[in-house]
Amino acid sequence: MAQYVRNNAWNNGGTFDNKDLYWYARGVEAMMARPIADSASWWFYAAIHGEYANPNTPWYPRPAAFPGWSFIQGTPQVPTTPLPDSATMDLYWNQCQHGSWYFFPWHRGYLMSLETQLRADIVAAGGPDTWALPYWNYFGGQGGSQSQMPPAFAAETLPEGTPNALFVTMRYGPDGDGNIYVPCPPKYPTGPINAKAMKNDLFTGSDAVTRPPGFGGPQTTFAHNGSPHGNFESNPHDLVHGYVGGQPGPSDAIYGIMGDPGTAALDPIFYLHHCNIDRMWEAWNDQGNSNPTVSSWTNGPSRQFAMPTASGKPWNYTPGDVSTLANLDYSYESLGIEDAPQAPKTQPALTLAKRLETLGASPEASNASLEAAASTAPRKTELLGASPTALKLSKTPIEITVALDASTRKAAEVSLLKASVSALPDKAYLRLENVSGIYDATILGISVSTPESGGSYLVGHVALFGLRRATVSDGQHGGEGLSFILDITPFIDELHLNNALNADAVKVAIVPDKPLPDGTEVTIGRVSIYREAF
């Protein structure tokens, strides 16, 4: 039996009547009282994820400005001097794994390390030695009521009248007014955030039901600024960061600290968000899905993950060390996810069967043959078309027409006509490639249509979380920017069913959630469309 249980932050109404939240505030307060060079400080732990405290890093803004930690407004007041020595910063700081198949395990170890330090401070303050980090299940509650941030984080003081360390000034929310919520079902049925990636059946790669790069992300080495992000990392993870952080107004070149990997871990709500991400990874495994078993994943990258300990020596861990809660000392109050009830192990087969039925294929296939077909890897990926030039995005939406290669489009059309469990239909993906800029708070809505059609199809939303870091060359990465993969298979299927797949082009509309402030334009290197053939 696990020694510690991580409970729902919304227990007892999400107020300080929930003692997990009260003692969390007390623990954060103790860690915030230490200087940034102290490895047991809140600031040091935030910098492990990513930081803008050290002006010598490639991504520190020049000239100095926000998101530099010295320019963070209000509460908390973030110290930036004296910094640790260079060797300590090189060992511990700027480690978070994004756009990588190490995303889940790195963050699990990070949470465990912070939780250990918080528990020690909580016990020293007279709190329970069984305390564990709570999680924010924004998909939960009756009618989606828990999509709202727990009220304890909006209170400026604790019950005894002292300052509340969970309160953050630069936390603006989706509407920029300080009302913090996650726009997701069931409260927001058409909201941009969802848990659809929980229906993926492949951790890395793609098959007949899982789009690339897979549930857990692409195979990489150590990847602090990796791209593209895994399906679950893209949605809900990235979008929660973007919407919780938000931006205060269209003319402000600042944004909420949750919206950037280099400031996000300064916000105490970050860790409740990541506890939920960790919980949902465990739920995905509990559905019968598997993590990678190859040594390049289980043993981790050549640069080891390192967390500070009370002994002064680093705790080095691998993905294999933390791949299952069965081998760790904590569990969760519940693995339930209201927006995505625990899927049966046969979910991939059901997903494939539904698509084949929609396309008019014979429904006679057995469950066994459907399950086998669902895990079929694509035999080739082929370019259907791409934009001829880079695009600039600023205050207004842009639309680009992508011409389709006639022979490749015809091959896709034939595959849909012949769709069956033994001749799987093509899938189609839209890619935004080499997206660069400096304004991480940007969220883009992507729609597609054909020049002949009257309406458009909303493909989804992407958050540019990590944009600044991915844009800057840091010695390990060439500053290629971020890339995104969106599934447009339902759109292609709809064209086929309407006898409209003979279109010569697809129109792609890219709409910023809010106008970009002056000087924060985003460049999109290329918009491309691919087919996966099976």
Side-chain angles (χ1 to χ4, degrees):
M1 183 176 178
Q3 186 176 358
Y4 307 105
V5 178
R6 293 179 178 173
N7 295 308
N8 191 328
W10 266 96
N11 290 345
N12 295 96
T15 68
F16 286 121
D17 289 338
N18 180 343
K19 294 307 177 184
D20 288 335
L21 294 180
Y22 173 78
W23 286 110
Y24 181 40
R26 293 289 303 275
V28 173
E29 179 184 356
M31 291 184 69
M32 284 184 173
R34 301 185 180 109
I36 190 171
D38 187 333
S39 64
S41 74
W42 186 256
W43 327 111
F44 191 100
Y45 264 91
I48 292 173
H49 189 268
E51 52 79 25
Y52 296 108
N54 179 5
N56 297 318
T57 57
W59 45 77
Y60 191 86
R62 294 175 178 83
F66 181 83
W69 282 12
S70 298
F71 298 87
I72 291 174
Q73 302 172 3
T75 301
Q77 295 182 2
V78 183
T80 57
T81 58
L83 294 173
D85 61 74
S86 295
T88 299
M89 290 191 288
D90 289 345
L91 175 62
Y92 291 114
W93 285 14
N94 299 301
Q95 282 190 67
C96 67
Q97 299 295 288
H98 289 285
S100 167
W101 64 347
Y102 300 129
F103 166 75
F104 281 112
W106 184 88
H107 283 86
R108 177 168 283 177
Y110 179 51
L111 291 176
M112 291 169 62
S113 180
L114 176 84
E115 186 175 52
T116 298
Q117 180 58 55
L118 281 166
R119 187 180 298 120
D121 284 318
I122 287 167
V123 170
D129 62 5
T130 56
W131 180 89
L133 275 166
Y135 61 88
W136 177 18
N137 177 18
Y138 21 79
F139 296 113
Q142 186 173 6
S145 59
Q146 293 176 15
S147 60
Q148 193 76 25
M149 182 179 69
F153 288 81
E156 295 192 39
T157 59
L158 294 177
E160 54 265 39
T162 57
N164 174 20
L166 306 185
F167 178 81
V168 168
T169 301
M170 296 185 75
R171 191 195 283 146
Y172 301 111
D175 305 316
D177 58 0
N179 177 28
I180 311 301
Y181 65 94
V182 173
C184 63
K187 187 171 183 178
Y188 304 92
T190 60
I193 296 175
N194 58 64
K196 292 179 181 178
M198 292 295 287
K199 295 182 179 180
N200 289 179
D201 68 341
L202 192 62
F203 193 96
T204 292
S206 63
D207 60 21
V209 297
T210 299
R211 67 174 172 89
F215 175 80
Q219 183 172 352
T220 65
T221 56
F222 188 96
H224 183 54
N225 308 316
S227 181
H229 289 192
N231 299 342
F232 191 89
E233 184 180 359
S234 295
N235 192 354
H237 169 268
D238 291 354
L239 286 165
V240 170
H241 271 282
Y243 279 114
V244 169
Q247 60 186 95
S251 61
D252 293 305
I254 61 172
Y255 44 80
I257 58 176
M258 265 286 279
D260 186 319
T263 54
L266 291 166
D267 189 335
I269 200 67
F270 169 98
Y271 300 94
L272 274 66
H273 168 39
H274 268 277
C275 273
N276 198 45
I277 297 299
D278 183 73
R279 184 181 72 94
M280 293 174 76
W281 177 27
E282 181 67 11
W284 186 78
N285 284 151
D286 200 50
Q287 290 170 188
N289 299 300
S290 300
N291 300 324
T293 56
V294 293
S295 61
S296 51
W297 187 81
T298 58
N299 294 340
S302 56
R303 176 183 170 182
Q304 290 184 301
F305 304 150
M307 296 294 155
T309 67
S311 70
K313 296 180 180 180
W315 169 47
N316 296 119
Y317 65 97
T318 68
D321 293 334
V322 297
S323 62
T324 173
L325 297 194
N327 297 334
L328 303 176
D329 63 359
Y330 71 93
S331 62
Y332 285 98
E333 175 186 339
S334 169
L335 295 180
I337 302 155
E338 284 74 358
D339 180 45
Q342 196 147 0
K345 196 171 182 178
T346 56
Q347 180 63 54
L350 296 173
T351 301
L352 177 58
K354 183 177 180 180
R355 185 183 180 211
L356 291 174
E357 182 181 358
T358 299
L359 292 173
S362 170
E364 298 175 359
S366 67
N367 284 337
S369 60
L370 283 166
E371 288 176 16
S375 61
T376 301
R379 58 183 174 83
K380 70 174 178 179
T381 301
E382 194 171 16
L383 181 67
L384 266 165
S387 60
T389 60
L391 310 172
K392 294 285 187 182
L393 184 65
S394 55
K395 293 183 180 296
T396 57
I398 58 174
E399 188 174 81
I400 181 73
T401 299
V402 178
L404 303 179
D405 177 79
S407 61
T408 308
R409 176 187 54 74
K410 184 63 177 178
E413 188 175 6
V414 169
S415 86
L416 297 181
L417 283 168
K418 296 182 176 181
S420 71
V421 72
S422 58
L424 294 176
D426 285 3
K427 301 191 76 177
Y429 300 102
L430 174 73
R431 290 180 61 107
L432 305 182
E433 303 176 25
N434 307 118
V435 181
S436 60
I438 60 171
Y439 198 69
D440 285 48
T442 309
I443 294 174
L444 305 178
I446 318 296
S447 298
V448 291
S449 62
T450 63
E452 297 80 11
S453 64
S456 64
Y457 174 84
L458 177 63
V459 180
H461 293 76
V462 297
L464 306 192
F465 185 70
L467 180 67
R468 177 187 291 268
R469 288 165 179 257
T471 298
V472 175
S473 176
D474 64 359
Q476 292 180 321
H477 305 87
E480 296 91 350
L482 297 172
S483 291
F484 301 91
I485 303 173
L486 298 105
D487 190 356
I488 60 169
T489 302
F491 169 69
I492 298 297
D493 287 354
E494 186 177 318
L495 290 179
H496 165 70
L497 294 171
N498 291 328
N499 297 313
L501 196 51
N502 57 353
D504 295 325
V506 169
K507 293 196 296 184
V508 181
I510 303 172
V511 183
D513 186 60
K514 291 182 174 63
L516 293 171
D518 291 338
T520 63
E521 290 77 11
V522 170
T523 299
I524 301 171
R526 189 171 83 155
V527 177
S528 56
I529 298 175
Y530 289 82
R531 67 180 279 251
E532 271 190 346
F534 294 87

Coordinates of all heavy atoms in Angstrom, one line a residue, residues 310-375:
A310 N 18.5 16.5 0.6 CA 18.9 17.1 1.8 C 20.4 16.8 2.1 O 21.1 17.5 2.8 CB 18.1 16.7 3.0
S311 N 20.9 15.7 1.5 CA 22.3 15.3 1.7 C 23.3 16.2 1.0 O 24.5 16.1 1.2 CB 22.5 13.8 1.3 OG 22.4 13.7 -0.1
G312 N 22.8 16.9 0.0 CA 23.6 17.7 -0.8 C 24.1 17.0 -2.1 O 24.7 17.6 -3.0
K313 N 23.8 15.7 -2.2 CA 24.1 14.9 -3.4 C 22.9 14.8 -4.3 O 21.7 14.7 -3.8 CB 24.6 13.5 -3.0 CG 25.9 13.5 -2.2 CD 26.3 12.1 -1.8 CE 27.6 12.1 -1.1 NZ 28.0 10.7 -0.7
P314 N 23.0 14.8 -5.6 CA 21.9 14.7 -6.5 C 21.2 13.4 -6.4 O 21.9 12.4 -6.3 CB 22.5 15.1 -7.8 CG 23.9 14.7 -7.8 CD 24.3 14.9 -6.3
W315 N 19.9 13.4 -6.6 CA 19.2 12.1 -6.9 C 19.1 12.0 -8.4 O 18.4 12.8 -9.0 CB 17.8 12.2 -6.2 CG 16.9 11.0 -6.7 CD1 17.2 9.7 -6.8 CD2 15.5 11.1 -7.2 NE1 16.2 9.0 -7.3 CE2 15.1 9.8 -7.5 CE3 14.7 12.2 -7.4 CZ2 13.8 9.6 -8.0 CZ3 13.4 11.9 -7.8 CH2 13.0 10.6 -8.2
N316 N 19.8 11.1 -8.9 CA 19.7 10.8 -10.4 C 18.7 9.7 -10.6 O 18.8 8.6 -9.9 CB 21.1 10.4 -10.9 CG 22.1 11.5 -10.8 OD1 23.1 11.4 -10.2 ND2 21.8 12.6 -11.5
Y317 N 17.8 9.9 -11.5 CA 16.8 8.8 -11.8 C 16.6 8.7 -13.3 O 16.9 9.6 -14.1 CB 15.5 9.2 -11.1 CG 14.8 10.5 -11.6 CD1 13.8 10.4 -12.6 CD2 15.2 11.7 -11.2 CE1 13.2 11.6 -13.0 CE2 14.6 12.9 -11.6 CZ 13.6 12.8 -12.6 OH 13.0 13.9 -13.0
T318 N 16.0 7.6 -13.7 CA 15.7 7.3 -15.0 C 14.2 7.1 -15.2 O 13.5 6.9 -14.3 CB 16.4 6.0 -15.5 OG1 15.8 4.9 -14.8 CG2 17.9 6.0 -15.2
P319 N 13.7 7.2 -16.5 CA 12.3 6.9 -16.7 C 11.9 5.5 -16.2 O 10.8 5.3 -15.6 CB 12.2 6.9 -18.2 CG 13.2 7.9 -18.6 CD 14.4 7.7 -17.7
G320 N 12.8 4.5 -16.3 CA 12.5 3.2 -15.8 C 12.2 3.2 -14.3 O 11.5 2.4 -13.7
D321 N 12.9 4.1 -13.5 CA 12.8 4.1 -12.1 C 11.4 4.6 -11.7 O 10.9 4.3 -10.6 CB 13.8 5.1 -11.5 CG 15.2 4.6 -11.6 OD1 15.4 3.4 -11.7 OD2 16.1 5.5 -11.6
V322 N 10.7 5.4 -12.5 CA 9.5 6.0 -12.1 C 8.3 5.7 -13.1 O 7.3 6.4 -13.1 CB 9.6 7.6 -12.1 CG1 10.7 8.0 -11.0 CG2 10.0 8.2 -13.4
S323 N 8.4 4.6 -13.8 CA 7.5 4.3 -14.9 C 6.1 3.8 -14.4 O 5.1 3.9 -15.1 CB 8.0 3.3 -15.9 OG 8.3 2.1 -15.2
T324 N 6.0 3.4 -13.1 CA 4.8 2.9 -12.6 C 4.6 3.2 -11.1 O 5.6 3.1 -10.4 CB 4.6 1.3 -12.8 OG1 3.5 0.9 -12.1 CG2 5.9 0.6 -12.3
L325 N 3.5 3.6 -10.7 CA 3.2 3.9 -9.3 C 3.3 2.7 -8.4 O 3.5 2.9 -7.2 CB 1.9 4.6 -9.1 CG 1.6 5.9 -9.8 CD1 0.4 6.6 -9.3 CD2 2.8 6.9 -9.7
A326 N 3.2 1.5 -9.0 CA 3.3 0.3 -8.2 C 4.7 0.2 -7.5 O 4.8 -0.4 -6.5 CB 3.1 -0.9 -9.1
N327 N 5.7 0.9 -8.1 CA 7.0 0.9 -7.5 C 7.4 2.1 -6.7 O 8.5 2.3 -6.2 CB 8.1 0.7 -8.6 CG 7.9 -0.7 -9.3 OD1 7.4 -1.6 -8.8 ND2 8.4 -0.7 -10.6
L328 N 6.4 3.0 -6.5 CA 6.7 4.3 -5.9 C 5.9 4.4 -4.6 O 5.1 3.5 -4.3 CB 6.4 5.4 -6.8 CG 7.1 5.4 -8.1 CD1 6.7 6.6 -9.0 CD2 8.6 5.5 -7.9
D329 N 6.0 5.4 -3.8 CA 5.4 5.5 -2.5 C 4.2 6.3 -2.4 O 3.8 6.7 -1.3 CB 6.5 6.0 -1.5 CG 6.9 7.5 -1.8 OD1 6.4 8.1 -2.8 OD2 7.8 8.0 -1.0
Y330 N 3.5 6.6 -3.6 CA 2.3 7.4 -3.5 C 1.3 6.8 -4.5 O 1.6 6.1 -5.4 CB 2.6 8.9 -3.8 CG 3.0 9.2 -5.3 CD1 2.0 9.5 -6.2 CD2 4.3 9.1 -5.7 CE1 2.3 9.8 -7.5 CE2 4.6 9.3 -7.1 CZ 3.6 9.7 -8.0 OH 3.9 9.9 -9.3
S331 N 0.0 7.2 -4.2 CA -1.1 6.9 -5.1 C -2.0 8.1 -5.2 O -1.7 9.1 -4.6 CB -1.8 5.6 -4.6 OG -2.4 5.9 -3.3
Y332 N -3.1 7.9 -6.0 CA -4.0 9.0 -6.1 C -5.4 8.6 -5.6 O -5.8 7.4 -5.6 CB -4.2 9.4 -7.6 CG -3.0 10.2 -8.1 CD1 -2.0 9.5 -8.9 CD2 -2.9 11.5 -7.9 CE1 -0.9 10.3 -9.3 CE2 -1.8 12.3 -8.4 CZ -0.8 11.6 -9.1 OH 0.3 12.4 -9.5
E333 N -6.1 9.6 -5.0 CA -7.4 9.4 -4.5 C -8.3 8.7 -5.5 O -9.1 7.8 -5.2 CB -8.0 10.7 -4.1 CG -9.5 10.6 -3.6 CD -10.0 12.0 -3.3 OE1 -9.3 13.0 -3.1 OE2 -11.3 12.1 -3.3
S334 N -8.2 9.1 -6.8 CA -9.0 8.6 -7.9 C -8.2 8.7 -9.2 O -7.5 9.7 -9.4 CB -10.3 9.3 -8.0 OG -11.0 8.9 -9.1
L335 N -8.4 7.8 -10.1 CA -7.9 7.9 -11.4 C -9.0 8.3 -12.4 O -8.8 8.3 -13.6 CB -7.2 6.6 -11.9 CG -6.0 6.2 -11.1 CD1 -5.5 4.8 -11.7 CD2 -4.9 7.2 -11.2
G336 N -10.2 8.6 -11.9 CA -11.3 8.9 -12.8 C -11.1 10.3 -13.5 O -10.6 11.2 -12.9
I337 N -11.6 10.3 -14.7 CA -11.5 11.5 -15.5 C -12.9 11.7 -16.2 O -13.2 11.0 -17.1 CB -10.4 11.5 -16.6 CG1 -9.0 11.2 -15.9 CG2 -10.3 12.7 -17.4 CD1 -8.1 10.5 -16.8
E338 N -13.6 12.7 -15.7 CA -15.0 12.8 -16.2 C -15.2 13.0 -17.6 O -16.1 12.5 -18.3 CB -15.7 13.9 -15.4 CG -16.1 13.5 -13.9 CD -14.9 13.5 -13.0 OE1 -13.8 13.7 -13.5 OE2 -15.1 13.2 -11.8
D339 N -14.2 13.8 -18.2 CA -14.3 14.1 -19.7 C -13.9 12.9 -20.5 O -14.3 12.8 -21.7 CB -13.4 15.3 -20.0 CG -13.5 15.6 -21.5 OD1 -14.6 15.6 -22.0 OD2 -12.4 15.8 -22.1
A340 N -13.2 12.0 -19.9 CA -12.7 10.8 -20.7 C -12.8 9.6 -19.7 O -11.8 9.2 -19.1 CB -11.3 11.0 -21.2
P341 N -14.0 9.1 -19.5 CA -14.2 7.9 -18.6 C -13.2 6.8 -19.0 O -12.9 6.7 -20.1 CB -15.6 7.5 -18.8 CG -16.3 8.7 -19.3 CD -15.3 9.5 -20.1
Q342 N -12.7 6.1 -18.0 CA -11.7 5.1 -18.3 C -12.1 4.2 -19.5 O -13.1 3.5 -19.5 CB -11.5 4.2 -17.0 CG -10.2 3.4 -17.1 CD -9.6 3.2 -15.8 OE1 -10.1 3.7 -14.8 NE2 -8.4 2.6 -15.7
A343 N -11.3 4.3 -20.5 CA -11.6 3.6 -21.7 C -11.3 2.1 -21.6 O -10.3 1.7 -21.0 CB -10.8 4.2 -22.9
P344 N -12.2 1.3 -22.2 CA -11.9 -0.1 -22.2 C -10.7 -0.4 -23.0 O -10.3 0.4 -23.9 CB -13.2 -0.7 -22.8 CG -13.7 0.4 -23.7 CD -13.4 1.6 -23.0
K345 N -10.1 -1.6 -22.8 CA -8.9 -2.0 -23.5 C -9.2 -2.1 -25.0 O -8.3 -2.0 -25.9 CB -8.3 -3.3 -23.0 CG -6.9 -3.6 -23.4 CD -6.3 -4.8 -22.7 CE -4.9 -5.0 -23.1 NZ -4.3 -6.1 -22.3
T346 N -10.5 -2.3 -25.3 CA -10.9 -2.4 -26.7 C -11.2 -1.1 -27.4 O -11.6 -1.0 -28.5 CB -12.1 -3.3 -26.8 OG1 -13.2 -2.7 -26.0 CG2 -11.9 -4.7 -26.4
Q347 N -10.9 0.0 -26.7 CA -11.2 1.4 -27.3 C -10.6 1.6 -28.7 O -11.3 2.1 -29.6 CB -10.7 2.5 -26.3 CG -11.0 3.9 -26.8 CD -12.5 4.2 -27.0 OE1 -13.2 4.0 -26.0 NE2 -12.9 4.6 -28.1
P348 N -9.3 1.2 -28.9 CA -8.8 1.4 -30.3 C -9.6 0.7 -31.3 O -9.8 1.3 -32.4 CB -7.3 0.9 -30.2 CG -7.0 1.0 -28.7 CD -8.3 0.8 -28.0
A349 N -10.0 -0.5 -31.1 CA -10.8 -1.2 -32.0 C -12.1 -0.6 -32.3 O -12.6 -0.5 -33.4 CB -11.0 -2.7 -31.5
L350 N -12.7 0.0 -31.2 CA -14.0 0.7 -31.3 C -13.8 1.9 -32.2 O -14.7 2.3 -33.0 CB -14.6 1.0 -29.9 CG -14.9 -0.2 -29.1 CD1 -15.3 0.3 -27.7 CD2 -16.1 -1.0 -29.7
T351 N -12.7 2.7 -31.9 CA -12.5 3.9 -32.7 C -12.3 3.6 -34.1 O -12.9 4.3 -35.0 CB -11.2 4.6 -32.1 OG1 -11.4 4.9 -30.7 CG2 -10.9 5.8 -32.9
L352 N -11.6 2.5 -34.5 CA -11.4 2.2 -35.9 C -12.7 1.7 -36.5 O -13.0 2.1 -37.6 CB -10.3 1.1 -36.0 CG -10.0 0.5 -37.4 CD1 -9.6 1.7 -38.3 CD2 -9.0 -0.6 -37.4
A353 N -13.4 0.9 -35.8 CA -14.7 0.4 -36.3 C -15.7 1.5 -36.6 O -16.4 1.5 -37.7 CB -15.3 -0.6 -35.3
K354 N -15.7 2.5 -35.8 CA -16.6 3.7 -36.0 C -16.2 4.4 -37.3 O -17.0 4.8 -38.1 CB -16.5 4.6 -34.8 CG -17.5 5.8 -35.0 CD -17.5 6.7 -33.7 CE -18.4 7.8 -33.8 NZ -18.4 8.7 -32.6
R355 N -14.9 4.6 -37.5 CA -14.5 5.3 -38.7 C -14.8 4.4 -40.0 O -15.3 5.0 -41.0 CB -13.0 5.6 -38.7 CG -12.5 6.4 -39.9 CD -11.1 6.7 -40.0 NE -10.8 7.5 -41.2 CZ -9.7 7.4 -41.9 NH1 -8.7 6.6 -41.6 NH2 -9.6 8.2 -43.0
L356 N -14.5 3.1 -39.9 CA -14.8 2.3 -41.1 C -16.3 2.3 -41.4 O -16.7 2.3 -42.6 CB -14.3 0.9 -40.8 CG -12.8 0.7 -40.8 CD1 -12.4 -0.7 -40.4 CD2 -12.2 1.0 -42.1
E357 N -17.1 2.3 -40.3 CA -18.6 2.3 -40.6 C -19.0 3.6 -41.2 O -19.8 3.7 -42.1 CB -19.3 2.1 -39.2 CG -20.8 2.1 -39.3 CD -21.5 2.0 -38.0 OE1 -20.8 1.8 -37.0 OE2 -22.7 2.0 -38.0
T358 N -18.4 4.7 -40.7 CA -18.7 6.1 -41.3 C -18.3 6.1 -42.8 O -19.1 6.7 -43.6 CB -17.9 7.2 -40.6 OG1 -18.3 7.2 -39.2 CG2 -18.2 8.5 -41.2
L359 N -17.2 5.4 -43.2 CA -16.8 5.4 -44.6 C -17.6 4.4 -45.4 O -17.3 4.3 -46.6 CB -15.3 5.2 -44.7 CG -14.4 6.3 -44.1 CD1 -12.9 5.8 -44.1 CD2 -14.5 7.5 -44.9
G360 N -18.5 3.6 -44.8 CA -19.3 2.7 -45.5 C -18.6 1.3 -45.7 O -19.1 0.6 -46.5
A361 N -17.6 1.0 -44.9 CA -16.9 -0.3 -45.0 C -17.8 -1.3 -44.4 O -18.7 -1.1 -43.6 CB -15.6 -0.2 -44.4
S362 N -17.5 -2.6 -44.8 CA -18.3 -3.7 -44.3 C -18.1 -3.8 -42.8 O -17.0 -3.8 -42.3 CB -17.8 -5.0 -44.9 OG -18.4 -6.1 -44.3
P363 N -19.2 -4.0 -42.0 CA -19.1 -4.1 -40.5 C -18.8 -5.5 -40.0 O -19.0 -5.8 -38.8 CB -20.5 -3.6 -40.1 CG -21.4 -4.1 -41.2 CD -20.6 -4.0 -42.5
E364 N -18.4 -6.4 -40.9 CA -18.3 -7.8 -40.5 C -17.0 -8.2 -39.8 O -16.9 -9.3 -39.4 CB -18.5 -8.7 -41.8 CG -19.8 -8.5 -42.5 CD -19.9 -9.3 -43.8 OE1 -18.9 -9.9 -44.2 OE2 -20.9 -9.2 -44.5
A365 N -16.1 -7.3 -39.7 CA -14.8 -7.6 -39.1 C -15.0 -8.0 -37.6 O -15.8 -7.5 -36.9 CB -13.9 -6.5 -39.2
S366 N -14.2 -9.0 -37.2 CA -14.2 -9.5 -35.8 C -13.5 -8.5 -34.9 O -12.7 -7.7 -35.4 CB -13.6 -10.8 -35.6 OG -12.2 -10.8 -35.9
N367 N -13.8 -8.5 -33.6 CA -13.0 -7.7 -32.7 C -11.5 -7.9 -32.7 O -10.7 -7.0 -32.6 CB -13.5 -7.9 -31.2 CG -14.9 -7.2 -31.0 OD1 -15.3 -6.3 -31.7 ND2 -15.6 -7.7 -30.0
A368 N -11.2 -9.2 -32.9 CA -9.7 -9.5 -32.9 C -9.1 -8.9 -34.1 O -8.0 -8.4 -34.0 CB -9.6 -11.1 -32.9
S369 N -9.7 -8.9 -35.3 CA -9.1 -8.4 -36.5 C -9.1 -6.8 -36.4 O -8.1 -6.2 -36.8 CB -9.9 -8.8 -37.7 OG -11.2 -8.4 -37.7
L370 N -10.1 -6.2 -35.7 CA -10.1 -4.8 -35.5 C -9.0 -4.4 -34.6 O -8.3 -3.4 -34.8 CB -11.5 -4.3 -35.0 CG -12.6 -4.3 -36.0 CD1 -14.0 -4.1 -35.3 CD2 -12.4 -3.1 -37.0
E371 N -8.8 -5.1 -33.5 CA -7.7 -4.8 -32.6 C -6.4 -4.9 -33.2 O -5.5 -4.0 -33.0 CB -7.8 -5.7 -31.4 CG -9.0 -5.5 -30.4 CD -9.1 -6.4 -29.3 OE1 -8.1 -7.2 -29.1 OE2 -10.2 -6.5 -28.7
A372 N -6.2 -5.9 -34.1 CA -4.9 -6.0 -34.8 C -4.7 -4.9 -35.8 O -3.6 -4.3 -35.9 CB -4.8 -7.4 -35.5
A373 N -5.8 -4.5 -36.5 CA -5.7 -3.5 -37.5 C -5.4 -2.1 -36.8 O -4.7 -1.3 -37.4 CB -7.0 -3.4 -38.3
A374 N -6.0 -1.9 -35.6 CA -5.9 -0.6 -35.0 C -4.4 -0.3 -34.7 O -4.0 0.9 -34.7 CB -6.7 -0.6 -33.7
S375 N -3.6 -1.3 -34.4 CA -2.2 -1.1 -34.1 C -1.3 -1.1 -35.3 O -0.1 -1.1 -35.1 CB -1.8 -2.1 -33.0 OG -1.9 -3.4 -33.6

